[in-house]
Amino acid sequence: MKRIFNIFFRRNAVRSVSTTIEMVRILNVAEKNDAAKSIADVMSRGHYRKREGFSKFNKIYEFESSILDHQNCTMTFTSVSGHLLALEFPIQYRKWMSCSPVELFNVPVEKYCPKDYEDIKRTLENEIRGCQKLVIWTDCDREGENIGFEVIQVCRAVKPNIQVYRARFSEITPHAIANAARNLVRPDQLVSDAVDVRIELDLRIGAAFTRFQTLRLKKVFPEALAEQLISYGSCQFPTLGFVVERYKQVQAFVPEPFWKLKVTHLCDDVKAEFVWKRNRLFNHLACFVLYHHCIENPVATVVDVNSKSKNKWRPVALDTVEMEKLVSRKLHINAKETMRVAEKLYTQGFISYPRTETNIFPKDLDLVPLVTEQARDPNWGEFAQQVLQQGPHPRNGNKTDNAHPPIHPLKYTNQLQGNEQRIYEFIVRHFLACCSQDAQGHETVVEIDVAAERMVAGETSPPSLLTEADLIALMEKHGIGTDATHAEHIETIKSRMYVGLRPDGRFVPGHLGMGLVEGYDQMGYEMSKPHLRAELEADLKAISEGRKQKNDVLVQQVQKYKDVFIEACRQALKLDEALSQYLGQAQTYTPHPAPTASVVKPCPHCGHNLTLRTKKNGKGYYIGCSNYPECRHALWLPDFVLEADVDSEICPTCQPGPVHLLRFRFRPGSVPPTIPNNFTGCVGGCDEMLSETLGITRSLGTYNRVAGNTNNSVHRGTGCGTGTPNARSLSTIPNPTVFATSQTPPADRNNQRARGNPAGRIPLGLMDANAQNRERGQQGSAARSTMAPDSTIVCSCGHNARLFTVRKEGPNTGRQFYGCGMPQKVCTFFLWADEQETGRQGHAGSNIAQLNNVPPTSMQAGEEVQCNCGLAARRLTVQKDGPNKGKEFYGCSKPRAEGCGFFQWACNVQDNRFTGSSSFPGQGRGPGTGGLTGQKRKLSSTSEATPAARRPRRCGLCGVEGSRCRSFKADMTMLSHV
DNA sequence: GCAAGGTC
């Protein structure tokens, strides 16, 4: 007993003493083992102790140091390997047939530690137990911040109150590390939030579309795609889009002949070729006249000689993207292989870290020993000596990732083989050139007056198909992927058979890639365009800067893509049709019922479903008909609705049902005090307070927004009972479409214009059919303003209209009309004042035609022809001599420079009035005129496809049907048979 | 079996 007591006492004594001298222990976690080791090495001046953790790749480095307020503390340095946690669906949703893909937009997701990283997690959990503080040393970028929070999450699960700090450093040098240690900050939650949003969206969108595409198309094209994974990703699809777009540009290019004068002069075996100041002429006769003028006066007079030295700049320090591009161009090694080799060279210690966005050498990086290392090489050693003599003067760029230096050689070797040797040599030569001086040259420009030798003909040539270097440059320009992932995305679209590589190293789209892009284009969704990703990136930046809330962006983006997904399912036949032009006959496929996730209630106009959707710009909501574009019924919710979702509960009052309740989150202060900011209510009309707040009146079985509550083009009904709950039934309305509204918000249309055409007008034929419909619908809705019952005229944008008088000389001089009441004329509303008295509906199109002194058409209301602007077309008569002189036709009512170029023979109106077809002669917009327009139309319509186009194509070399020939399939016939 | 982003 005594012995036991003594032992206990001694232990307590030891413990008591140790508490007085025990040093504070701090856990430091870097993003990778290499960084942990380097930082520990710098901070300990090489005196660190190394021990094993649970992960064999992530060691533990310990040393004593002073940091924070501790003069002497034990620093425990370890690392993760990139992201420690991953996001996934719960196990019950991971099997592809476990749920409808649309559910993946809403099912919960969970973070978990993948099996490969459990050892790292155990190390953290074990080490944090003995530490009092945690310092995050992950890379100082967005992903690094998020990885830091993953470390924090794991450590706090063990030690909830652990104090956490963040070290910010731009490079692993004594100065930078000491500075970071002296100026520890708190981790940035906002930056990490932005990454959480990216991760979740990538998962939901990628998984939903990939399952949808793959499951559908393998059934529709069982021979060609049975085993094919048809993935969708926010980076891989834009990458595919670049290839397709360039291919189409090449296909659509029409060469144009030109002529130029070529003058050469041979002197002492040196041939000088002179450049014509006119460069080239597209008019043969004009060029020929000049040519004759020259040969009649064949003596050249030297009028000026200008001689000067000229420099060629040495290359900029090498970053990852530049290395990928240059190696692809110079050595014909693709980016994926380049990075694989570079990583190997890095781990062997031959080169610096190859994944870097930095092209500026740090000032405290001593380049002399690095150049000296290379002086012993028999090929470039002499050049290295010259660099040393002149002193290394690197040419720096202007980018830094605040983490790694430019790629450069660390030590000399002549033992490498194959691509390792070639890429190592490239990095060395680039580094030496970067550190050398600019190339010196001399240029003499001789200007001569006139002399001619011969006239050369040529023709304009199309742009080249994209090389891998071009593709990487485009991805970089548009923010698709990161420097670390460009090569992977390119590899993905190759492995998915979306694109192929020609023997000359240029990319061509494959049939699958082409069909997918065209199919989505024809639905009206630009899934393969880079701006979707760019918009997300802008939102992520806003989150990280505190301008947007994480949850707001997440909800809006998920809803936006979910809406697109639902529409894509509904219009999936367009995908089948687009692909059938390349893959042969589509099999009939009956999918599961189309997703109905966001259904609010039946549409009072057409009986289809009204669904809750996010506006295309991602800001705000509307309730639109699933039968769009046939039915354009829509209700736009005000901007102060920050979130909206469909509840499963059904309103017991509103009919026809079922009418689902909606869950709202309102902007604080924007709704009456009786309505909470988070509120679940019915928009079917039974809740008068909510209806009034949202600007909804129940009229004629449909919804209309009360004027003044919105900037969108939705208006009160006609004088026959707006706002009265028991108004006439729909069947009594003479022209029901007068209430229909476009589903494309004006802001989105403007964006579309700004993106597509600086002039603000989308060229007909280059825009897909759905987009044209939207364009017309939007314009059309603007034209369909009606009078309020109290005789106050409400214009298209919802404001009170203003009375004007026609000043222009003409038949309407002095006549009064209503126009937009806003000073800046935000809408195109127009209504003659004298027509208002008769109760006739205002119609901007027909009245604008009158404003332009165009005689009113003799057609009855509702029978007018609309042009592609959505306005009433002008009825005109051919004046030009010819077989059609005197024949009547319809054209755009706007001045020609501003108009849409619409053309329709009057005698064909009955057949074509609603097709929106346009074939204005001489404008190259009609079918068969060649170029992109003609081709796109041919591709977009199976009804126009010739039998030959529908037949399965055969491999040109082996004769086997395309879908059965592996080479044919791989190369999609646009490649050579290999 | 899906994404994209880290990393080994």
Side-chain angles (χ1 to χ4, degrees):
Chain A
M1 183 62 155
K2 184 179 179 184
R3 179 183 172 83
I4 293 173
F5 177 78
N6 282 343
I7 292 172
F8 180 75
F9 177 79
R10 275 206 305 276
R11 280 184 179 165
N12 275 353
V14 169
R15 188 173 299 166
S16 172
V17 170
S18 68
T19 51
T20 59
I21 61 170
E22 188 179 26
M23 291 198 300
V24 171
R25 184 179 284 270
I26 297 178
L27 179 63
N28 300 269
V29 184
E31 190 163 319
K32 45 196 165 278
N33 177 65
D34 180 63
K37 182 181 175 185
S38 300
I39 298 167
D41 188 48
V42 166
M43 291 186 82
S44 68
R45 294 187 175 87
H47 298 291
Y48 59 80
R49 303 177 294 278
K50 178 176 154 187
R51 62 182 170 89
E52 296 293 320
F54 290 103
S55 162
K56 63 179 179 181
F57 300 112
N58 303 82
K59 311 294 184 189
I60 300 169
Y61 308 91
E62 284 188 329
F63 54 93
E64 278 66 48
S65 180
S66 52
I67 193 170
L68 291 166
D69 296 329
H70 310 294
Q71 291 302 312
N72 200 8
C73 61
T74 300
M75 297 285 274
T76 300
F77 249 95
T78 188
S79 60
V80 287
S81 291
H83 279 289
L84 178 63
L85 307 178
L87 196 70
E88 251 302 359
F89 300 111
I91 186 75
Q92 64 267 33
Y93 298 105
R94 289 186 200 166
K95 287 284 180 191
W96 281 33
M97 303 307 288
S98 64
C99 65
S100 168
V102 73
E103 293 181 49
L104 299 177
F105 287 100
N106 295 100
V107 299
V109 286
E110 55 195 22
K111 274 195 174 178
Y112 75 106
C113 182
K115 207 167 181 53
D116 292 351
Y117 295 90
E118 280 178 357
D119 285 344
I120 299 174
K121 181 166 172 274
R122 283 176 63 203
T123 299
L124 294 178
E125 290 166 341
N126 195 47
E127 295 299 324
I128 197 67
R129 287 193 178 94
C131 292
Q132 287 76 50
K133 295 183 180 178
L134 170 65
V135 182
I136 303 297
W137 291 82
T138 48
D139 293 353
C140 289
D141 53 23
R142 204 169 68 186
E143 296 295 327
E145 208 67 26
N146 188 264
I147 292 168
F149 273 89
E150 292 172 358
V151 172
I152 294 167
Q153 180 181 331
V154 166
C155 291
R156 282 214 165 123
V158 175
K159 227 171 195 183
N161 297 321
I162 187 83
Q163 290 183 53
V164 182
Y165 300 88
R166 173 76 159 112
R168 297 202 173 279
F169 54 102
S170 59
E171 60 207 28
I172 304 177
T173 59
H175 176 74
I177 295 301
N179 196 44
R182 274 197 305 270
N183 298 288
L184 295 176
V185 294
R186 297 293 178 188
D188 193 330
Q189 182 71 58
L190 296 178
V191 174
S192 176
D193 284 351
V195 177
D196 281 338
V197 170
R198 176 197 66 70
I199 291 171
E200 185 171 338
L201 287 173
D202 285 341
L203 173 67
R204 291 188 187 280
I205 298 165
F209 276 94
T210 300
R211 290 186 191 182
F212 158 67
Q213 292 177 169
T214 306
L215 294 173
R216 179 183 182 90
L217 295 176
K218 73 194 293 184
K219 298 282 187 192
V220 176
F221 302 100
E223 278 196 41
L225 302 176
E227 304 299 322
Q228 183 68 43
L229 176 65
I230 306 170
S231 61
Y232 172 83
S234 57
C235 288
Q236 53 179 266
F237 246 54
T239 308
L240 163 64
F242 292 135
V243 176
V244 171
E245 187 178 4
R246 177 60 63 90
Y247 178 79
K248 286 189 167 184
Q249 283 174 2
V250 173
Q251 294 298 103
F253 188 83
V254 180
E256 196 176 352
F258 63 80
W259 294 265
K260 63 179 181 180
L261 300 186
K262 185 177 174 183
V263 178
T264 57
H265 179 63
L266 192 64
C267 179
D268 298 334
D269 290 335
V270 176
K271 186 179 178 185
E273 186 168 316
F274 289 81
V275 178
W276 193 19
K277 278 194 172 175
R278 295 177 196 271
N279 187 19
R280 61 188 181 185
L281 293 180
F282 288 92
N283 185 314
H284 178 258
L285 182 60
C287 198
F288 196 68
V289 168
L290 292 169
Y291 170 68
H292 269 277
H293 180 66
C294 289
I295 57 174
E296 285 168 5
N297 305 278
V299 178
T301 306
V302 175
V303 294
D304 190 24
V305 177
N306 192 354
S307 189
K308 61 182 178 185
S309 62
K310 200 165 185 181
N311 289 358
K312 186 167 186 182
W313 288 352
R314 60 203 189 281
V316 174
L318 194 62
D319 60 40
T320 302
V321 172
E322 200 59 23
M323 178 176 73
E324 289 174 343
K325 288 194 287 192
L326 286 172
V327 171
S328 177
R329 282 192 190 125
K330 308 285 185 191
L331 305 182
H332 305 295
I333 300 172
N334 70 49
K336 181 82 176 172
E337 171 70 1
T338 298
M339 291 311 293
R340 187 192 68 75
V341 171
E343 302 235 356
K344 194 170 177 190
L345 293 172
Y346 164 68
T347 54
Q348 291 172 328
F350 294 126
I351 64 168
S352 62
Y353 190 66
R355 271 180 277 175
T356 173
E357 293 175 53
T358 304
N359 58 9
I360 304 169
F361 276 109
K363 283 180 183 160
D364 55 0
L365 177 61
D366 187 0
L367 300 175
V368 172
L370 299 173
V371 178
T372 307
E373 273 281 306
Q374 303 299 329
R376 61 178 120 154
D377 186 88
N379 296 314
W380 56 79
E382 195 177 333
F383 187 85
Q385 287 288 359
Q386 287 176 27
V387 171
L388 287 171
Q389 285 165 15
Q390 295 155 350
H393 296 295
R395 181 177 166 218
N396 286 324
N398 54 6
K399 292 189 297 181
T400 176
D401 59 13
N402 294 326
H404 308 288
I407 302 166
H408 60 275
L410 291 177
K411 66 181 181 189
Y412 177 73
T413 178
N414 58 2
Q415 301 299 310
L416 299 171
Q417 303 290 326
N419 282 349
E420 290 179 27
Q421 187 277 325
R422 298 170 72 206
I423 290 176
Y424 175 77
E425 180 175 340
F426 165 79
I427 291 169
V428 171
R429 286 182 180 274
H430 191 285
F431 170 67
L432 294 176
C434 169
C435 292
S436 72
Q437 296 193 328
D438 292 342
Q440 304 288 319
H442 204 78
E443 181 185 79
T444 300
V445 178
V446 178
E447 192 174 338
I448 57 174
D449 188 298
V450 62
E453 194 170 84
R454 56 197 170 103
M455 187 170 65
V456 181
E459 65 176 25
T460 55
S461 54
S464 300
L465 291 169
L466 297 176
T467 63
E468 187 176 41
D470 298 333
L471 196 47
I472 291 172
L474 280 171
M475 294 170 78
E476 195 181 17
K477 177 182 171 188
H478 291 279
I480 302 301
T482 70
D483 59 315
T485 60
H486 290 153
E488 288 177 23
H489 296 314
I490 294 173
E491 208 57 29
T492 299
I493 61 172
K494 281 157 71 178
S495 67
R496 298 280 189 263
M497 304 289 202
Y498 295 166
V499 302
L501 202 54
R502 291 197 324 192
D504 65 356
R506 294 186 182 274
F507 283 99
V508 286
H511 286 167
L512 182 53
M514 198 81 167
L516 286 171
V517 170
E518 287 177 349
Y520 282 114
D521 278 357
Q522 283 159 31
M523 292 180 198
Y525 296 119
E526 297 180 319
M527 304 292 278
S528 58
K529 296 289 186 295
H531 63 80
L532 282 177
R533 182 76 193 184
E535 286 165 10
L536 172 60
E537 285 294 330
D539 268 358
L540 299 184
K541 191 161 184 280
I543 293 172
S544 61
E545 292 171 356
R547 290 183 283 111
K548 284 193 177 180
Q549 297 287 314
K550 169 186 179 181
N551 206 43
D552 290 348
V553 171
L554 199 53
V555 167
Q556 286 170 2
Q557 291 277 350
V558 165
Q559 189 63 43
K560 179 169 104 175
Y561 276 95
K562 185 179 174 185
D563 288 344
V564 172
F565 183 86
I566 291 170
E567 273 304 296
C569 292
R570 204 177 66 78
Q571 300 187 48
L573 275 177
K574 289 179 177 168
L575 262 187
D576 304 349
E577 289 170 4
L579 281 159
S580 70
Q581 296 170 95
Y582 304 107
L583 303 177
Q585 183 68 45
Q587 303 295 311
T588 305
Y589 175 61
T590 308
H592 297 297
T596 56
S598 301
V599 173
V600 178
K601 60 166 285 185
C603 175
H605 277 175
C606 68
H608 286 72
N609 287 323
L610 290 179
T611 59
L612 179 68
R613 297 147 184 245
T614 310
K615 293 175 189 172
K616 274 212 162 183
N617 60 10
K619 297 171 184 169
Y621 299 86
Y622 70 102
I623 297 169
C625 183
S626 60
N627 192 28
Y628 177 85
E630 283 75 21
C631 175
R632 297 172 180 276
H633 184 65
L635 164 67
W636 301 89
L637 296 177
D639 291 345
F640 59 72
V641 176
L642 300 179
E643 287 178 25
D645 208 353
V646 179
D647 196 87
S648 56
E649 193 176 338
I650 307 294
C651 174
T653 308
C654 287
Q655 291 297 327
V659 179
H660 283 262
L661 305 190
L662 293 185
R663 293 189 297 271
F664 293 102
R665 185 166 74 86
F666 298 118
R667 182 182 297 137
S670 62
V671 292
T674 49
I675 299 180
N677 289 336
N678 292 297
F679 179 67
T680 301
C682 177
V683 294
C686 62
D687 186 336
E688 290 184 10
M689 176 69 83
L690 179 63
S691 298
E692 189 177 336
T693 301
L694 296 175
I696 304 168
T697 65
R698 191 161 180 235
S699 169
L700 305 174
T702 183
Y703 292 105
N704 295 286
R705 294 290 313 281
V706 175
N709 274 0
T710 175
N711 284 333
N712 294 323
S713 306
V714 188
H715 323 292
R716 306 178 89 165
T718 57
C720 50
T722 298
T724 53
N726 299 316
R728 298 191 297 180
S729 68
L730 181 63
S731 60
T732 62
I733 302 172
N735 180 6
T737 60
V738 72
F739 300 106
T741 63
S742 165
Q743 293 188 337
T744 303
D748 181 70
R749 192 189 66 215
N750 292 336
N751 288 342
Q752 208 168 18
R753 285 182 164 174
R755 282 194 303 273
N757 189 320
R761 177 151 300 285
I762 302 170
L764 189 71
L766 292 181
M767 192 172 72
D768 63 275
N770 281 299
Q772 288 174 34
N773 286 336
R774 284 200 307 279
E775 180 80 355
R776 281 194 289 274
Q778 185 61 43
Q779 297 273 4
S781 70
R784 292 180 184 126
S785 294
T786 54
M787 289 179 293
D790 60 359
S791 294
T792 300
I793 306 300
V794 179
C795 65
S796 307
C797 58
H799 299 88
N800 286 342
R802 194 175 152 196
L803 194 61
F804 296 89
T805 304
V806 176
R807 304 287 179 204
K808 188 179 173 184
E809 285 297 318
N812 290 314
T813 305
R815 197 175 171 189
Q816 291 191 306
F817 63 94
Y818 287 97
C820 179
M822 298 299 285
Q824 62 269 39
K825 298 283 184 295
V826 296
C827 70
T828 57
F829 177 73
F830 180 86
L831 176 66
W832 287 120
D834 51 6
E835 289 182 358
Q836 174 237 338
E837 299 298 330
T838 65
R840 183 175 158 187
Q841 289 161 1
H843 195 294
S846 58
N847 288 301
I848 283 177
Q850 292 180 47
L851 255 191
N852 290 333
N853 294 327
V854 177
T857 72
S858 59
M859 303 179 79
Q860 298 302 307
E863 291 185 348
E864 76 277 2
V865 176
Q866 282 190 6
C867 70
N868 295 311
C869 303
L871 304 175
R874 297 170 69 180
R875 188 171 177 130
L876 301 164
T877 305
V878 175
Q879 303 293 332
K880 189 178 173 184
D881 287 334
N884 290 321
K885 185 171 182 178
K887 200 171 171 182
E888 290 186 299
F889 65 92
Y890 288 93
C892 179
S893 59
K894 292 184 179 177
R896 188 160 181 166
E898 302 167 15
C900 61
F902 176 80
F903 177 85
Q904 181 69 60
W905 290 120
C907 58
N908 293 337
V909 158
Q910 290 306 319
D911 294 334
N912 298 322
R913 190 175 312 148
F914 301 111
T915 64
S917 65
S918 171
S919 54
F920 196 89
Q923 296 207 357
R925 287 169 172 158
T929 55
L932 181 59
T933 304
Q935 183 197 19
K936 187 173 179 82
R937 289 191 168 201
K938 182 183 169 192
L939 295 177
S940 64
S941 168
T942 51
S943 63
E944 291 179 24
T946 63
R950 300 286 299 257
R951 270 201 304 273
R953 297 171 70 176
R954 292 179 182 280
C955 175
L957 289 184
C958 65
V960 172
E961 190 178 304
S963 57
R964 297 201 186 100
C965 167
R966 190 70 184 168
S967 299
F968 182 97
K969 183 180 172 188
D971 295 335
M972 310 301 178
T973 72
M974 297 171 196
L975 310 174
S976 61
H977 191 286
V978 289

